[in-house]
Structure formats: structure tokens, C-alpha cells
Amino acid sequence: MADKERIFLASPHMSDAGYEMEYIKEAFETNWIAPLGANVTNFEKEICDKLGCKAATALYSGTAAMHLALKLLNVKEDDLVFCQSLTFSATANPIIYERAKPVFIDSDKETWNMSPEALERAFQKYEALGQRPKAVIVVHLYGLAANMDEIKRICKKYDTLIIEDAAESLGTSYKGQMTGTFGDYSIISFNGNKIITSSGGGMLLCNTEKAEEDASKALFWATQARDQARYYQHSELGYNYRMSNIVAGIGRGQLKVLEERVAKKREIYHTYKNAFSDLPDITMMPIHDELEHSNCWLSCIVLDNESKVSPLDIQLALEAENIEARPIWKPMHMQPFFSEYDYVDNGGVSEWLFDKGICLPSDTKMTENDMDRIIKIIKGLW
Ligand SMILES: *Cc1c(COP(=O)(O)O)cnc(C)c1O
């Protein structure tokens, strides 16, 4: 039954022109199958050029990039790291890899991302205890830009560096500047469901004054921390985090269609927005076109507290028609694994979004017909 074909939340979408295969072919022909090779270094350069960042290290995941960003900031056991609570666990897990202590920060309604007010209160609270975090991790969730002006101002005031998690926001700009270039270190991801994918992979972006040196240090750790010696000698703990040349080839091909994917994601968002404009129970995720150009990675909605329809109703109704939807991320401070860590609240915004929000199918391969089907199912619940 053609009309019951699976519609995904977000799935890999290779270029029509077959750019990815060309780069893979090149890698095969030159036998640069293993890590290293022209695709990896060119991919780094092309990302830096596109975003306007100083230096980059291609890695096998965004999570690995987050881990190395924390290491570059010398985050160690019992150090504090302030981290946005409303996010995917991969943002926070590397803090625990280094046995540091996250302090989770609530979001605000305007951006769904880190609340500058809550961030300021977190600094004040720990200053009173004579403590300061080694880093602040801010996320651009679903491709929505965080309030970078305020967050940068506050971090500067407390002399604390920023790690920007742009895993979901590749292609989003804020006040004309690409996300991924605001943090002292930033991470992006090419996981299968992201706006572009390399089949799995990530990149660490360095925007510090010693960006080249930082990127080299990350590369050193990512390739088993081998000292400059004839034999295998190690003075530091190493990791096997480097992106492979085949994976980088897919990423390079995908980078050529990033703008095309962003345009389609934005079209999906506006199609939903128009369709739901007569349903006062539904609020679309907030995009401030005067401030940001969002990549609209996932189109998310929130339902009114009084609505007779719940996010679960929508998810189940879509699932019954073989269509994938997903709840908003469950905040980190609500996760059993992170329950022992501190949390600075801003009136429960992240909890409310988890409770009342849902991510609608946002696959760039969706047709007009697919979207009509989805909208009809959702509207049928009222
Ligand atoms: C996907 C994602 C990551 C991790 O990226 P991987 O490449 O899957 O390791 C980190 N943070 C956020 C917010 C993400 O969505």
C-alpha cells in the first residue's frame, strides 16, 4: 500500500547528483580507505570556509568532539561545567567521561535554549561558594539559535569559555554569523538523522586565538596520542576518534547540498505553520526571523495546557499510519543517570516543553502528499 509507506522523522538524504559517491570513488581509487586522506583534510577546510571558523578536526562523532572540547578546556575530576538541560544526552555525557560535575541550566520560552537569567543565577550561586565552572555548554536545539549575545556577555563577565553544541544547527545563522563559530570551541554532528550526514561523524571547531594549535592537539588525542618518536611512545592518554576518509567523502558530498536541505526544512516548517494557523491549541517552535536564519532541523510544536489533544495522542495517531514523530528531549536534570547533579530552574520551561511538545516528521524527502497526510491526521484529532 503506497499510502502507508513509512515517513521518517529525519533520515539520510543523499544528493541527487551523486556527489558523495564521487568522493568515495576517489578514495577507493587512491586507496585512501583508512583514516587520513584528502577527503578528511578537505572536509575540515570546506567546513571552516563555509562557517567562517579558524580550525577544525574531523572525528567519528559529535560526542567525541564534545569530549575533546572539554579536554582542551582542561576539564578534570570535580570541575564544574554549566550545561543546558534541555538537550540530547550526548551533550552532557562527556562531562562525566572526565568525572566533572554538570550543573544543568533551564531554557527560556523565547529560544527554547539556555536561559541567560538562569545562567547568571548559576554563576552567582557558585561564586558565593567560591567556585567557577571551567566551561558553559550552550545548545542550538532543533536548529533554533540560542540567545548568544546575552550568553556571551555573561560568560565574558565571569571569564568563562563557551562550548557551543551546534550538532542540530548546522546551517543556522544568528545575526548573520553561522552557529558553530560563537563558541571558543564548537561541535557539529553528521549522524544519520542530522541535517546532513556522513553516515556518522562529527567535527570539533576551534575559534580560540590558538585555534590551529588546539585543533592539532585534538588530532593528537584522537589518533592515540602518539609522541614524536620512532617507536610507539605515549605520554598522554589517547583515543581512537578520527574520522575515516570514506566517511569524510560522504560528508563532503553532503556539504554541497546543505543550503538545499535548509531550504526544504524551512519549507516543511512553514507548511506546518500555515496548516495549524487555525488551531489555537498549537504553538510552533519560536523562530525569530529578524535575528536568525534557522535550519529548522526538526519542526516542533507545543500544545496548550488546556488542549484536549496531547503530544502522545499525536504520536500514536501518526504511528498508526506508519509515520514517525518523537517527544521533545527529556531534560538532563530529569534523567535518572544525572539525578544527583544540580539544576538551576527558570520556571520549569524545559519540563513544560518535554511535557507538551512534540517533534513532527521533518524528513527532507517528504512530498507535498506526505505532508498533507500528516496534517490531515493531526487535524483529525480536534
Ligand atoms: C546528535 C547530537 C549530538 C551528538 O552527535 P553524534 O555525532 O551523534 O555523537 C550532540 N548534541 C546534540 C544536541 C545532538 O543532537
Side-chain angles (χ1 to χ4, degrees):
M1 283 206 317
D3 67 332
K4 288 283 174 86
E5 240 172 68
R6 181 81 169 157
I7 299 176
F8 292 98
L9 189 75
S11 68
H13 186 176
M14 294 298 113
S15 66
D16 294 334
Y19 299 126
E20 299 85 356
M21 273 316 273
E22 280 172 33
Y23 288 120
I24 292 175
K25 249 179 82 193
E26 212 175 281
F28 270 72
E29 280 162 4
T30 53
N31 202 35
W32 283 112
I33 306 297
L36 305 180
N39 281 335
V40 180
T41 40
N42 283 324
F43 192 27
E44 289 169 343
K45 190 178 175 307
E46 286 156 7
I47 286 279
C48 283
D49 288 349
K50 174 137 324 211
L51 301 188
C53 76
K54 291 185 190 165
T57 308
L59 301 166
Y60 81 39
S61 69
T63 311
M66 182 60 76
H67 186 193
L68 296 186
L70 290 167
K71 279 182 66 75
L72 283 167
L73 287 173
N74 199 26
V75 171
K76 292 211 158 67
E77 187 159 6
D78 292 333
D79 283 339
L80 293 177
V81 176
F82 290 176
C83 178
Q84 183 166 322
S85 187
L86 187 68
T87 187
F88 178 46
S89 63
T91 309
N93 284 337
I95 302 169
I96 310 299
Y97 299 170
E98 291 300 326
R99 296 183 172 77
K101 288 185 180 158
V103 172
F104 294 113
I105 313 283
D106 201 2
S107 289
D108 66 26
K109 283 188 175 176
E110 289 73 32
T111 66
W112 289 19
N113 289 305
M114 184 180 277
S115 153
E117 287 77 20
L119 176 64
E120 177 99 52
R121 270 189 284 114
F123 272 113
Q124 286 164 355
K125 173 176 177 178
Y126 282 91
E127 289 286 311
L129 300 169
Q131 290 179 286
R132 203 170 258 194
K134 280 263 180 80
V136 170
I137 303 178
V138 58
V139 189
H140 306 292
L141 223 53
Y142 304 123
L144 303 170
N147 185 345
M148 289 314 300
D149 277 354
E150 275 300 288
I151 289 164
K152 285 200 87 151
R153 185 186 63 76
I154 294 163
C155 289
K156 196 170 173 201
K157 176 170 158 192
Y158 293 98
D159 202 18
T160 301
L161 297 186
I162 297 175
I163 301 175
E164 187 190 11
D165 183 339
E168 300 181 2
S169 70
L170 185 60
T172 293
S173 60
Y174 172 81
K175 296 193 168 176
Q177 184 180 339
M178 299 304 273
T179 59
T181 65
F182 288 93
D184 297 281
Y185 303 106
S186 304
I187 71 131
I188 49 179
S189 167
F190 309 106
N191 191 24
N193 61 5
K194 297 299 188 324
I195 190 147
I196 58 169
T197 181
S198 60
S199 77
M203 216 178 273
L204 171 71
L205 311 177
C206 303
N207 298 302
T208 50
E209 271 173 23
K210 53 178 185 32
E212 292 286 349
E213 193 185 312
D214 286 337
S216 303
K217 186 74 197 195
L219 176 60
F220 168 77
W221 284 322
T223 50
Q224 308 286 21
R226 285 165 61 181
D227 292 346
Q228 300 270 359
R230 197 171 48 78
Y231 29 78
Y232 280 77
Q233 176 175 292
H234 307 275
S235 309
E236 286 190 62
L237 180 62
Y239 303 86
N240 188 2
Y241 278 177
R242 186 60 160 156
M243 181 181 280
S244 96
N245 200 46
I246 298 294
V247 160
I250 304 174
R252 290 184 76 191
Q254 285 270 284
L255 193 56
K256 288 182 187 256
V257 294
L258 175 62
E259 283 82 10
E260 214 178 296
R261 296 289 175 270
V262 171
K264 176 70 186 191
K265 293 275 193 187
R266 289 176 61 87
E267 188 188 309
I268 292 168
Y269 173 88
H270 284 103
T271 303
Y272 283 129
K273 187 172 177 167
N274 289 337
F276 300 144
S277 59
D278 58 349
L279 279 178
D281 296 17
I282 292 183
T283 308
M284 298 295 295
M285 67 181 187
I287 292 180
H288 309 281
D289 281 320
E290 69 287 3
L291 288 177
E292 65 186 305
H293 186 78
S294 172
N295 75 0
C296 295
W297 173 56
L298 295 184
S299 283
C300 307
I301 58 171
V302 244
L303 293 157
D304 271 10
N305 289 336
E306 295 78 31
S307 181
K308 66 166 190 156
V309 178
S310 72
L312 183 63
D313 293 336
I314 292 178
Q315 190 180 0
L316 293 178
L318 291 172
E319 197 52 57
E321 298 289 328
N322 203 20
I323 300 169
E324 187 185 13
R326 190 164 72 182
I328 298 283
W329 298 122
K330 181 173 183 173
M332 291 306 109
H333 73 274
M334 295 172 77
Q335 299 288 349
F337 181 73
F338 291 113
S339 60
E340 71 191 87
Y341 299 104
D342 195 12
Y343 165 62
V344 179
D345 177 61
N346 179 44
V349 171
S350 59
E351 295 180 12
W352 159 70
L353 287 169
F354 172 59
D355 190 34
K356 293 292 169 196
I358 185 160
C359 311
L360 298 178
S362 307
D363 197 286
T364 49
K365 291 189 299 307
M366 285 194 297
T367 61
E368 223 171 283
N369 195 36
D370 290 334
M371 291 218 65
D372 286 347
R373 256 180 78 202
I374 294 162
I375 288 161
K376 217 168 131 200
I377 294 164
I378 294 173
K379 286 191 144 181
L381 292 168
W382 268 267

